[in-house]
Amino acid sequence: MSFPKGFYWGGATAANQCEGAWNVDGRGPALTDVTTGGSVKEPRYVTYIDKDGNPQKMPSMGAKLPEGAKYAVLDDCYYPNQDGIDFYHRYKEDIALFAEMGFNMFRMSISWSRLYPQGDELEPNPKGIEFYRNVFKECKKYNIEPLVTIHHFDTPLYLEEHYGGWKNRKLIEFYDRFAKTCFTEYKGLVKYWLTFNEINNTVMFLDMFGNKATDQMYQEAYQHLHYQFVASAHAVKMAHEIDPDYVVGCMICGITFYPATCDPADILLNRHTWEKGIYYCGDVQCKGKYPTFAKRLWAEHDVHLDITEQDLIDLKEGTVDLYTFSYYMSTVVTTHEVTDKVSGNFSAGARNPYLEYSDWGWALDPKGLRYYLEKIYDRYELPMMVVENGLGAYDTLEEDGTIHDPYRIDYMRKHIQDMELAIEDGVDLIAYTPWGCIDLVSAGTGEMRKRYGFIYVDKDDAGNGTFDRYRKDSFYWYKKVIASNGADLD
Ligand code: BG6
């Protein structure tokens, strides 16, 4: 068995989790810059000054700024995204290491507030434009194809504070300008674009709150999503007009849901969970219209959306060229009482007795990846990319500078084997860019010690360390995998 000729092998990152340099060369702040570090037990907090001038913090998941408050950086807090892993200053070294592994694709994102510091300006920040041009040129030097996420969890803070973020239709206009700038400035340097990272999280994660998620929260989340769908459709159309060779994809947080029992109520719940969590966004972005079950989903929470006739036309005209997704784990759903609950990556469910779990409680399930690939390919018949996958684990830097991570190799080997089987079954899978190919700040917990990389970065959860890079055992293993186009997985 081997992978198709020309298959893309690489790795994935996001600007807010790796660049650092949060206030350098004119960059404006994003929400992640006022978000503290947490852990598997302790949430991350967003910090602010309340209307009476007191410093405050609130859990970042579902955070809503109180009336009259202002986001703020507090002296006694550490904000891990602010310095990230300093990719901003070390990108040449990092891209050289990716090239050494044999990458022919590198997924990264563009920080919106580096190009438009507030988000609502008419002209971009030249220093920001220059930075990404240099990064793309560096990739080209090694024949690495950039795969660029336009929006990866980092709406400029100013837009959050002054416009209420994606609840506001105005955001579409600002995003359109940002996306157009990317497409025109980087023409000839980039071919593959993704409009929004894990767009489906906005609604999917609300189910984690159980009954505490109010109808108002769903109303805002579905509206937020609608505006992002329209912005995404505009981006696809614009991209094709600017360069017909551009290929634009959606990016879905891919969770494979299983029913816990064969109770018909569980089977139906499982179907509805796929619809709400996975198909709702995929259908709009791939088919260009809301699915029939959307009406049921809205009615469940008394949701009434601002959708114009023009929006519906735009959605139709802006369908994506490819389906990309992240895949880390599967989840079990049931209508029966759950005594052993597990959660991870924006979803929660019952523990699966047939699977093992990572130290962060994420189910290890390579077959779930094959299942997802085959199910989704059947639905849309679009080329697919696995643009995130990997094992967040504790690593030890030995005195001699080595890092032995057989657990990571084992995880990836099994996932690659199941990708191969899906390809044999006819899935048009064209790329694999595992997450955090170089250690970076965890999105969920803000930790550094939750490491995914082939490359170790010497930085701890408090921001201490040299930031030096070290090759892990998995680095050499992945190099062999790429050199053999997936044939040598030993
Ligand atoms: C995805 C995100 O949800 O999972 C990434 O697109 C994130 O930004 C990744 O880092 C892994 O999650 P975590 O919480 O382990 O960083």
Side-chain angles (χ1 to χ4, degrees):
M1 287 200 300
S2 73
F3 281 75
K5 206 166 161 262
F7 189 82
Y8 287 115
W9 296 96
T13 61
N16 77 87
Q17 291 168 258
C18 74
E19 278 178 13
W22 74 292
N23 54 5
V24 171
D25 289 338
R27 182 185 179 278
L31 196 57
T32 41
D33 298 314
V34 290
T35 308
T36 64
S39 71
V40 70
K41 293 200 184 93
E42 181 72 8
R44 302 188 72 179
Y45 292 99
V46 170
T47 55
Y48 62 96
I49 303 284
D50 69 18
K51 63 174 179 0
D52 303 319
N54 303 312
Q56 302 284 4
K57 53 185 188 174
M58 57 185 165
S60 66
M61 284 284 256
K64 200 169 173 194
L65 196 64
E67 280 285 311
K70 277 188 89 58
Y71 292 110
V73 172
L74 306 182
D75 288 343
D76 57 345
C77 292
Y78 172 62
Y79 302 91
N81 298 72
Q82 288 187 358
D83 52 359
I85 55 158
D86 199 25
F87 177 81
Y88 191 76
H89 296 109
R90 294 177 182 246
Y91 68 90
K92 288 193 179 169
E93 178 188 352
D94 294 343
I95 293 169
L97 285 164
F98 300 154
E100 188 182 324
M101 269 186 282
F103 281 22
N104 54 5
M105 178 162 272
F106 171 46
R107 176 174 176 229
M108 51 174 281
S109 74
I110 293 187
S111 154
W112 188 345
S113 60
R114 203 176 285 293
L115 257 50
Y116 288 92
Q118 289 189 173
D120 62 354
E121 299 92 336
L122 296 178
E123 295 301 326
N125 166 24
K127 286 274 188 198
I129 299 284
E130 186 190 332
F131 170 67
Y132 293 106
R133 177 165 295 119
N134 291 340
V135 171
F136 297 141
K137 281 188 177 161
E138 199 65 17
C139 289
K140 287 280 158 193
K141 196 164 116 185
Y142 298 104
N143 290 321
I144 297 176
E145 190 69 55
L147 166 62
V148 181
T149 319
I150 299 170
H151 182 278
H152 192 128
F153 298 163
D154 61 355
T155 302
L157 199 58
Y158 186 89
L159 296 185
E160 301 281 1
E161 212 163 57
H162 294 260
Y163 293 88
W166 280 97
K167 291 199 297 282
N168 191 333
R169 183 175 273 278
K170 283 288 260 184
L171 269 273
I172 300 176
E173 177 191 327
F174 303 141
Y175 176 94
D176 284 358
R177 191 174 303 130
F178 167 44
K180 188 171 183 188
T181 301
C182 296
F183 298 143
T184 43
E185 290 290 341
Y186 305 124
K187 192 171 166 176
L189 288 169
V190 175
K191 176 172 175 189
Y192 294 99
W193 301 91
L194 308 180
T195 55
F196 286 91
N197 183 65
E198 292 190 340
I199 192 167
N200 52 328
N201 282 344
T202 310
V203 166
M204 193 169 74
F205 96 100
L206 286 181
D207 287 350
M208 291 175 77
F209 292 90
N211 294 336
K212 287 198 200 112
T214 60
D215 285 353
Q216 180 59 22
M217 287 161 86
Y218 279 98
Q219 166 70 35
E220 286 178 11
Y222 278 115
Q223 188 63 69
H224 165 137
L225 257 185
H226 176 70
Y227 293 149
Q228 291 195 339
F229 289 151
V230 175
S232 172
H234 288 175
V236 176
K237 254 185 97 176
M238 263 188 304
H240 292 156
E241 280 158 19
I242 292 168
D243 185 342
D245 284 344
Y246 277 154
V247 178
V248 191
C250 61
M251 198 298 200
I252 305 286
C253 177
I255 307 271
T256 294
F257 297 101
Y258 302 128
T261 72
C262 51
D263 177 348
D266 274 6
I267 303 299
L268 192 65
L269 176 67
N270 189 52
R271 182 183 170 92
H272 288 176
T273 307
W274 275 92
E275 289 175 348
K276 185 178 190 178
I278 308 296
Y279 297 154
Y280 181 80
C281 294
D283 284 7
V284 175
Q285 294 191 284
C286 300
K287 297 181 175 182
K289 60 181 174 115
Y290 278 101
T292 46
F293 56 78
K295 285 205 177 99
R296 167 170 41 81
L297 295 180
W298 298 333
E300 272 170 13
H301 296 287
D302 197 26
V303 166
H304 301 275
L305 297 181
D306 162 33
I307 301 179
T308 66
E309 284 302 313
Q310 187 58 45
D311 290 347
L312 297 176
I313 296 169
D314 292 346
L315 294 182
K316 218 172 211 87
E317 292 177 349
T319 55
V320 292
D321 307 309
L322 82 161
Y323 185 101
T324 85
F325 67 107
S326 58
Y327 177 81
Y328 295 91
M329 49 179 268
S330 57
T331 293
V332 176
V333 304
T334 181
T335 54
H336 298 267
E337 200 195 334
V338 177
T339 45
D340 197 357
K341 246 192 163 182
V342 278
S343 62
N345 212 19
F346 303 97
S347 69
R351 183 175 294 275
N352 187 332
Y354 300 98
L355 298 177
E356 289 180 7
Y357 284 76
S358 79
D359 290 330
W360 277 262
W362 295 26
L364 311 179
D365 182 13
K367 285 198 177 61
L369 173 57
R370 178 177 177 191
Y371 186 90
Y372 192 95
L373 280 163
E374 293 180 5
K375 198 170 174 65
I376 296 293
Y377 187 67
D378 210 29
R379 192 171 182 95
Y380 304 121
E381 292 191 11
L382 287 175
M384 296 182 77
M385 291 182 172
V386 177
V387 296
E388 284 185 33
N389 172 240
L391 179 68
Y394 299 106
D395 289 332
T396 308
L397 175 64
E398 307 291 346
E399 273 183 12
D400 63 358
T402 56
I403 300 98
H404 306 301
D405 56 347
Y407 34 88
R408 184 167 293 109
I409 293 173
D410 185 56
Y411 175 101
M412 300 194 75
R413 176 187 296 124
K414 289 176 177 155
H415 283 77
I416 293 173
Q417 281 166 342
D418 271 284
M419 288 186 332
E420 278 183 320
L421 292 170
I423 292 172
E424 279 193 352
D425 270 350
V427 174
D428 185 13
L429 179 65
I430 61 169
Y432 180 55
T433 58
W435 177 248
C437 45
I438 178 165
D439 293 345
L440 38 64
V441 176
S442 157
T445 66
E447 293 166 293
M448 268 309 293
R449 67 184 156 169
K450 187 180 188 190
R451 297 175 182 274
Y452 287 89
F454 304 111
I455 301 163
Y456 184 95
V457 176
D458 179 26
K459 179 193 170 190
D460 69 16
D461 288 345
N464 303 309
T466 60
F467 286 57
D468 284 348
R469 280 51 171 155
Y470 297 86
R471 295 165 183 81
K472 302 183 193 178
D473 287 354
S474 56
F475 179 101
Y476 302 103
W477 174 81
Y478 194 44
K479 186 174 173 174
K480 253 181 6 158
V481 172
I482 297 177
S484 63
N485 197 26
D488 183 357
L489 297 177
D490 293 337

